[in-house]
Amino acid sequence: MTHQHGTQLTGHVQLSLVIPVFNEAATIDLFIARITDVFKDETLIGLEMVFVNDGSTDTTLDLLLERQQTDSRLRIVDLSRNFGKEAALTAGLQTATGQVVVPIDVDLQDPPEVILEMIALWREGYEVVLGHRVSRKTDSWAKQTSANWFYRLHNKIAEQHLPENVGDFRLMDRCVVDALQTLPESRRFMKGLFAWVGFRTTHVNYERLERVAGASKFNGWRLWNFALEGITSFSTEPLRIWTYLGLFVSLISFSFAIFIILRTLISGVDLPGYASLMVAVTFLGGLQLIGIGVLGEYLGRTYIESKRRPVYLVRRVYDPKD
């Protein structure tokens, strides 16, 4: 029996894992071994592992090609350079062939065992099953705090809300993946796009673990730019905020001008010091520069999108049949 959206309520299911990798030679063998152990019953779940090599400079690609010789479940998409995780995810989703697709990091912070729970919920008719972290104890205090503030700010000013403490780790039905592939933007904030397409959604709770090996490729600066990308991708509210702020400052300036005129008429000519004048000039100059920066951020996005460049370029796709 089959659900109207393609969900199989019983029987065999074809699962594709989308795994972006960038200099992850230390984790690949551990990841494949864990996945093999979790999905050893091939009568219920047919597995495809789509590794997207995002311009690695270590032995990641060589190691993947070596493992593919003995494991036909591996497909390898080798990008022409490092395009970033969002582009790598896009490439993996466009390559995956499964009925259900799960993006997952190779560092095993997201336990593969949770996918079995996701598939059970998918069989009940859900088209998206989110992996919801019950805590962020594996993150530093700074990362926890910045993440909380980002979700609060984004969900306050953007029309499309992001589920809090949910990353890219989720199960998506084929119809959801097909819908994502119709979205044309070049600058892609995948968490926002995942939320934007909608569909019938539920979640499973899980505890995020420490990395099994290697180090995270995200630093504070990249996370800041990532947050900025997310806010400007799905909200024009920052532009509106600067309009209101400019109006507010103008009203204060106008009120102060009236105050000076009245005081001069009543008390005579008054020549205040330069300190207050410099503070006012630098304050207003700073506001103008920030406002120009916000405008520039949106104008830059428009400029990039107008070029219609592809999100990524593929050097080669290595299929096990090749």
Side-chain angles (χ1 to χ4, degrees):
M1 184 167 61
T2 304
H3 188 268
Q4 62 177 341
H5 291 289
T7 303
Q8 287 190 351
L9 302 183
T10 58
H12 186 270
V13 58
Q14 188 64 32
L15 166 67
S16 292
L17 301 181
V18 172
I19 312 125
V21 288
F22 175 63
N23 293 343
E24 292 285 3
T27 59
I28 286 171
D29 281 341
L30 296 169
F31 177 83
I32 293 176
R34 180 83 166 271
I35 293 295
T36 300
D37 182 58
V38 173
F39 298 102
K40 52 181 174 283
D41 188 356
E42 297 182 6
T43 60
L44 292 177
I45 300 173
L47 181 63
E48 170 188 64
M49 288 183 274
V50 180
F51 284 91
V52 184
N53 179 41
D54 190 21
S56 296
T57 55
D58 64 357
T59 59
T60 294
L61 179 59
D62 294 333
L63 188 57
L64 286 171
L65 291 172
E66 185 180 328
R67 297 298 172 263
Q68 190 184 54
Q69 298 302 313
T70 56
D71 193 338
S72 61
R73 300 172 302 175
L74 271 67
R75 295 183 73 195
I76 304 164
V77 182
D78 185 27
L79 302 187
S80 63
R81 63 171 176 83
N82 178 249
F83 286 90
K85 188 179 180 182
E86 308 297 282
L89 271 177
T90 302
L93 292 175
Q94 292 181 343
T95 306
T97 60
Q99 294 167 273
V100 291
V101 180
V102 177
I104 186 171
D105 291 337
V106 75
D107 56 22
L108 291 174
Q109 285 192 281
D110 303 318
E113 292 82 359
V114 176
I115 299 174
L116 299 176
E117 299 178 50
M118 292 178 170
I119 292 175
L121 289 168
W122 171 77
R123 291 187 188 278
E124 294 178 11
Y126 292 102
E127 293 140 337
V128 178
V129 185
L130 307 175
H132 177 258
R133 307 170 193 169
V134 294
S135 73
R136 284 184 167 268
K137 64 183 182 181
T138 57
D139 294 340
S140 65
W141 176 86
K143 192 172 181 180
Q144 291 180 42
T145 305
S146 59
N148 289 335
W149 276 106
F150 167 72
Y151 282 116
R152 288 180 186 175
L153 177 61
H154 184 282
N155 291 341
K156 194 167 187 64
I157 68 175
E159 292 183 12
Q160 186 58 55
H161 286 196
L162 297 180
E164 294 191 26
N165 296 323
V166 171
D168 298 321
F169 183 48
R170 66 191 65 212
L171 178 145
M172 292 173 286
D173 185 87
R174 169 51 51 185
C175 65
V176 181
V177 177
D178 290 343
L180 284 167
Q181 292 180 25
T182 66
L183 304 181
E185 49 253 73
S186 302
R187 298 280 294 271
R188 300 175 76 81
F189 178 64
M190 294 305 293
K191 286 184 180 65
L193 297 181
F194 288 150
W196 186 88
V197 296
F199 291 93
R200 187 176 300 171
T201 303
T202 187
H203 70 273
V204 295
N205 294 323
Y206 75 100
E207 193 74 56
R208 200 155 198 252
L209 309 174
E210 298 282 355
R211 286 181 63 98
V212 292
S216 173
K217 308 303 184 295
F218 276 94
N219 54 34
W221 180 245
R222 290 186 67 183
L223 286 171
W224 163 256
N225 286 326
F226 186 64
L228 196 61
E229 185 79 20
I231 291 171
T232 54
S233 290
F234 285 88
S235 176
T236 58
E237 201 67 27
L239 294 173
R240 192 170 298 141
I241 288 171
W242 283 102
T243 301
Y244 292 130
L245 185 59
L247 179 62
F248 176 70
V249 172
S250 297
L251 287 174
I252 291 177
S253 300
F254 183 70
S255 301
F256 188 59
I258 293 175
F259 169 74
I260 291 175
I261 291 171
L262 292 175
R263 190 173 68 170
T264 302
L265 290 174
I266 295 171
S267 305
V269 178
D270 185 17
L271 183 64
Y274 286 103
S276 58
L277 181 62
M278 288 302 297
V279 168
V281 169
T282 54
F283 174 69
L284 292 174
L287 282 181
Q288 290 172 337
L289 288 174
I290 295 171
I292 291 171
V294 173
L295 285 171
E297 185 69 29
Y298 283 93
L299 184 61
R301 290 188 61 85
T302 305
Y303 173 66
I304 295 297
E305 291 291 344
S306 70
K307 292 174 180 285
R308 306 313 303 153
R309 288 175 179 165
V311 179
Y312 59 89
L313 293 174
V314 176
R315 177 182 288 112
R316 182 176 172 184
V317 176
Y318 298 89
D319 282 313
K321 300 185 284 284
D322 294 346

